[in-house]
Amino acid sequence: MVKAKTAYVCSDCGAEYSKWQGQCASCGAWNTIKEFKIAPLVPGSDAASRRNQDRLGFAGTLTSKVQKLCDVSLEEHQRYTTTFSEFDRVLGGGIIPGAAMIIGGHPGAGKSTLLLQTVCRLSKSYNILYVTGEESLQQVAMRANRLGLDTSSLNVVSETSIENISSFIEETKPQILVIDSIQVMHLSYIQSAPGSVSQVRESAAMLTRIAKTRGIACFIVGHVTKDGTLAGPKVLEHCVDCSILLEGDSNSKFRTLRCQKNRFGAVNEIGVFAMTDRGMREVSNPSAIFLNRSENISSGSCVMVIWEGTRPLLIELQALADSTQNPNPRRLTVGTDSNRLNMLLAVLHRHAGIQMYDQDVFINVVGGVKVEETSADLPLLCALISSYRDRPIPRDTICFGEIGLSGEIRPVPSGQERIAEAAKHGFTRAIVPKDNAPHKTVPNMQIVPVTSISQIVDLI
């Protein structure tokens, strides 16, 4: 009998090693290297293994041939709509047949609820198979009944074996497949427990292969770690076509569906949903939600325009600078990068003469949105200076721009569209980088072009 080989795989970056070690040399993470059993190619029971591979679609399902790239058909696949315009936006226009998509999120974020609502709506027009491994069929039926969904046409099965699931696929021939979740799925010829690196890796690879060979749109639900990244090896995200993360605070009813990888659409596209007692409801105008501001004008608040995927969003950013006697003042950020805050504080000291070594600094992005682009630099400093000087910024003012280490204010992409979005919501004044200032006057909008942070201090 051929002995199974053993490899060691980093669960963060997917790097492989021949023996265990405490730190991954590729990504620098500690204690992330897990043992991985590699099934032998020709085991003693190779006949049974070949039967499994035939049934899963690995043998003889496709006949490939070499051809010229110019001869490849450019005809686009007909997409399936999810019936949620925000969900379609994140996917790049709808569901692609044969695409493998993974949806991750914290427990209780609403992953299963969103997918159950989607497939129940689509089951009238498409053949769908919903595979639940974490819940019983009665639990799924109770949730669907509570949400008021029509389940008369939806095929469901409770199963965790990939081999058995492939048999159900051959039997029902679905157009859309939902796997909830990948962490409980397993293959019989892998000896490790479900949820391990080897099981998650091989199960996802086989489900992706099934989706490609049979033209099935496959949704895979995945868990996330405590730092918000998808659980399992990094290669799990590499083998799928679309990786989506459902984010949201448990204390807030709003959820953001963010696309981190998409082979068929824009990356970093987000959709906004509200969790209600009747399930997930899409928010068609997210800027109006994030701009639900207080009537009282207070210092330390600034509205910024960020660019997410293919559209601008108006979001309020708050800053608080409070004097402290602590020799090590606190620097806390929620929704932004803390390292970038430290860099901007150094730029503010060096080029504007404002010292905050005796101030605790707190930054918060309202609505639970995570801002990663550099256009938030200028609003962050405006809110910080406003709080430090106790000078409120007018409610009708928005700003955006990137700040360099020499104190200059750099332009950001899609400046004209950001200004137009602000004007649509009734803002009348925009502080923008000089290179982003429009050449033509914008109706009912005063444009204030700036080139350095010293101008910002004078304006505030």
Side-chain angles (χ1 to χ4, degrees), residues 190-307:
I190 296 180
Q191 301 301 318
S192 57
S196 62
V197 172
S198 54
Q199 287 285 8
V200 170
R201 181 178 184 174
E202 293 302 317
S203 296
M206 287 196 173
L207 289 171
T208 303
R209 182 64 173 173
I210 292 174
K212 299 297 183 185
T213 56
R214 289 166 173 76
I216 301 172
C218 181
F219 286 99
I220 303 173
V221 177
H223 296 169
V224 296
T225 59
K226 61 182 180 180
D227 59 350
T229 59
L230 195 66
K234 198 67 177 176
V235 6
L236 182 61
E237 297 183 33
H238 294 321
C239 69
V240 297
D241 300 306
C242 187
S243 177
I244 303 173
L245 190 62
L246 186 61
E247 305 169 336
D249 188 0
S250 58
N251 298 323
S252 174
K253 68 176 183 178
F254 296 107
R255 305 287 189 270
T256 57
L257 195 65
R258 182 182 298 273
C259 182
Q260 298 179 322
K261 170 191 176 182
N262 194 351
R263 290 173 178 160
F264 309 109
V267 183
N268 284 333
E269 189 73 73
I270 70 168
V272 182
F273 293 85
M275 176 65 80
T276 66
D277 57 347
R278 304 294 289 178
M280 302 284 266
R281 301 291 177 87
E282 57 185 345
V283 178
S284 57
N285 188 9
S287 296
I289 300 297
F290 299 136
L291 290 179
N292 189 12
R293 308 174 71 189
S294 169
E295 293 296 331
N296 298 326
I297 301 177
S298 58
S299 59
S301 176
C302 181
V303 177
M304 59 183 176
V305 188
I306 64 173
W307 192 265

Side-chain angles (χ1 to χ4, degrees), residues 316-336:
E316 181 184 358
L317 186 144
Q318 296 176 336
L320 174 62
D322 186 28
S323 60
T324 179
Q325 301 298 326
N326 192 338
N328 296 315
R330 299 183 63 185
R331 302 287 186 259
L332 179 63
T333 62
V334 178
T336 58

Side-chain angles (χ1 to χ4, degrees), residues 34 96 127 151 160 182 257 317 359 442:
K34 309 295 182 182
I96 289 285
N127 186 14
T151 59
T160 59
I182 191 62
L257 195 65
L317 186 144
Q359 302 285 320
V442 180

Side-chain angles (χ1 to χ4, degrees), residues 7-12 15-17 19-25 29-35 197:
Y8 296 89
V9 182
C10 175
S11 59
D12 282 3
E16 296 187 9
Y17 301 92
K19 61 181 181 179
W20 185 88
Q21 57 191 48
Q23 184 183 26
C24 176
W30 288 90
N31 299 323
T32 58
I33 298 178
K34 309 295 182 182
E35 184 178 355
V197 172

